């Protein structure tokens, strides 16, 4: 896949575990690819600003936080849900970095770590956090909640864009033991409007059924060990 919208910049300020919170074993997603996918979804969306963005398998909300920081001028609301309570706590911590209070708390934590261990990595993180703080331009409403996506039937909001990186491989399995991505797509279809743009990132083994009356596929891309597909309702 050729990147159309996102230059090959240095994104190390956003590396997981540096300023953004990370716990061992939690999967992350490449920053450049996250930005590219969002821009592609925005191109398909009739709405270009004031976006409500939802990640229905949000994990530690790494993707949502990156998008809030780097695409915040187009986003007004970030929603994330996950089946795992540990992920929900991590997601809330990460989304707190979109506020000056959250940034100050993280800066205090990193300063204490640096004073205690004098590690280069903590000093670099303190430099990164100063640059990240400058990206906070406007307030974005955030909401993280517990939800088994396979059982989703209603939401108190209508997402303009859904971007999600579904469970795959050995690192993260489907939380209810049933790995049917098509069950997730059915559930999502009930909470979207015809305007909602949906991007699902997955490994190459997973297959979304395209011969249904529900969705039209707008795009399919392969990149490294992953693929992503973009849909809207028919
Ligand atoms: C690949 S990770 C997502 C990482 C995330 N995009 C990020 O930025 O941190 C997949 C997530 O799906 C969650 N998950 C697994 N089964 C689920 C289910 N049935 N409903 C909702 N979330 C589920 C896992 O807990 C895991 O956090």
């Amino acid at each position: 896949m050729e990147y159309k919208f996102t230059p090959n910049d240095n994104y190390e300020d956003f590396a997981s575990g540096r300023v953004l919170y990370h716990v061992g074993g939690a999967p992350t997603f490449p920053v450049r690819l996250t930005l590219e996918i969002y821009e592609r979804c925005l191109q398909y969306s009739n709405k270009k600003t004031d976006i409500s963005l939802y990640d229905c398998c949000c994990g530690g909300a790494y993707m949502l936080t990156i998008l809030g920081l780097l695409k915040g001028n187009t986003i007004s609301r970030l929603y994330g849900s996950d089946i795992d309570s540990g992920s929900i706590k991590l997601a809330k911590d990460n989304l707190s970095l979109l506020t000056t209070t959250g940034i100050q708390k993280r800066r205090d934590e990193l300063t204490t770590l640096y004073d205690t261990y004098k590690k280069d990595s903590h000093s670099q993180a303190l430099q990164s956090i100063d640059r990240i703080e400058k990206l906070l331009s406007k307030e974005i409403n955030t909401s993280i909640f517990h939800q088994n996506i396979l059982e989703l039937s209603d939401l108190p909001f209508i997402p303009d864009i859904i971007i999600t990186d579904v469970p795959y491989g050995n690192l993260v399995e489907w939380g209810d033991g049933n790995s049917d991505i098509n069950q997730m797509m059915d559930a999502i279809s009930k909470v979207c409007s015809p305007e909602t743009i949906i991007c699902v990132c997955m490994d190459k083994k997973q297959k979304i059924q395209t011969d249904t009356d529900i969705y039209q596929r707008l795009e399919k891309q392969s990149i490294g060990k992953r693929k992503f597909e973009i849909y809207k309702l028919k």
Side-chain angles (χ1 to χ4, degrees):
M1 185 199 76
E2 208 180 307
Y3 282 81
K4 287 200 262 186
F5 302 104
T6 319
N8 190 12
D9 284 348
N10 179 345
Y11 297 106
E12 67 188 12
D13 285 343
F14 308 96
S16 174
R18 187 173 173 121
V19 174
L20 271 72
Y21 293 94
H22 183 73
V23 294
T28 57
F29 200 81
V31 176
R32 187 182 181 202
L33 185 54
T34 303
L35 300 174
E36 178 72 15
I37 286 173
Y38 178 74
E39 280 298 333
R40 284 177 189 233
C41 291
L42 204 56
Q43 294 295 312
Y44 290 115
S45 171
N46 292 330
K47 238 174 118 178
K48 304 294 178 197
T49 57
D50 192 30
I51 296 288
S52 289
L53 174 65
Y54 176 41
D55 182 348
C56 58
C57 291
C58 73
Y62 185 65
M63 280 172 130
L64 289 175
T65 307
I66 298 292
L67 291 171
L69 288 170
L70 290 168
K71 300 289 174 185
N73 55 337
T74 61
I75 297 171
S76 296
R77 289 159 297 275
L78 290 172
Y79 300 95
S81 62
D82 202 281
I83 199 169
D84 172 56
S85 354
S87 297
I88 287 175
K89 154 92 180 69
L90 182 62
K92 287 183 178 168
D93 286 347
N94 271 327
L95 286 178
S96 77
L97 298 171
L98 299 174
T99 65
T100 44
T101 323
I103 285 281
Q104 192 49 48
K105 177 170 173 272
R106 185 61 172 143
R107 186 182 278 112
D108 292 345
E109 288 164 3
L110 290 167
T111 304
T112 305
L113 285 168
Y114 181 69
D115 290 345
T116 312
Y117 302 108
K118 297 278 181 291
K119 278 194 182 171
D120 280 352
S121 59
H122 296 135
S123 147
Q124 285 158 4
L126 283 165
Q127 290 165 34
S128 290
I129 206 167
D130 289 343
R131 290 188 285 268
I132 286 180
E133 187 171 29
K134 295 199 178 97
L135 299 171
L136 305 183
S137 54
K138 72 170 195 328
E139 197 178 320
I140 299 178
N141 291 320
T142 61
S143 170
I144 295 290
F145 52 98
H146 184 270
Q147 175 69 54
N148 178 351
I149 191 58
L150 304 179
E151 292 173 355
L152 182 73
S153 60
D154 195 20
L155 280 177
F157 60 93
I158 296 175
D160 298 309
I161 297 179
I162 298 178
I163 299 178
T164 200
D165 174 31
V166 299
Y168 46 80
N170 298 326
L171 198 54
V172 182
E173 302 286 354
W174 284 95
D176 80 336
N178 175 351
S179 63
D180 193 356
I181 198 167
N182 292 295
Q183 197 180 333
M184 178 190 87
M185 294 303 282
D186 277 355
I188 286 179
S189 71
K190 295 179 196 133
V191 299
C192 290
S193 83
E195 304 292 306
T196 306
I197 304 297
I198 303 143
C199 179
V200 183
C201 312
M202 62 207 121
D203 71 5
K204 289 182 178 162
K205 284 185 271 162
Q206 308 202 50
K207 288 214 174 0
I208 295 180
Q209 235 175 305
T210 47
D211 57 345
T212 70
D213 292 338
I214 305 178
Y215 288 108
Q216 53 172 309
R217 189 165 68 197
L218 304 172
E219 189 169 339
K220 176 182 179 178
Q221 296 290 347
S222 211
I223 178 154
K225 59 183 172 58
R226 298 186 171 89
K227 62 180 178 180
F228 67 86
E229 299 182 8
I230 302 181
Y231 290 88
K232 69 188 288 193
L233 292 176
K234 266 186 183 159

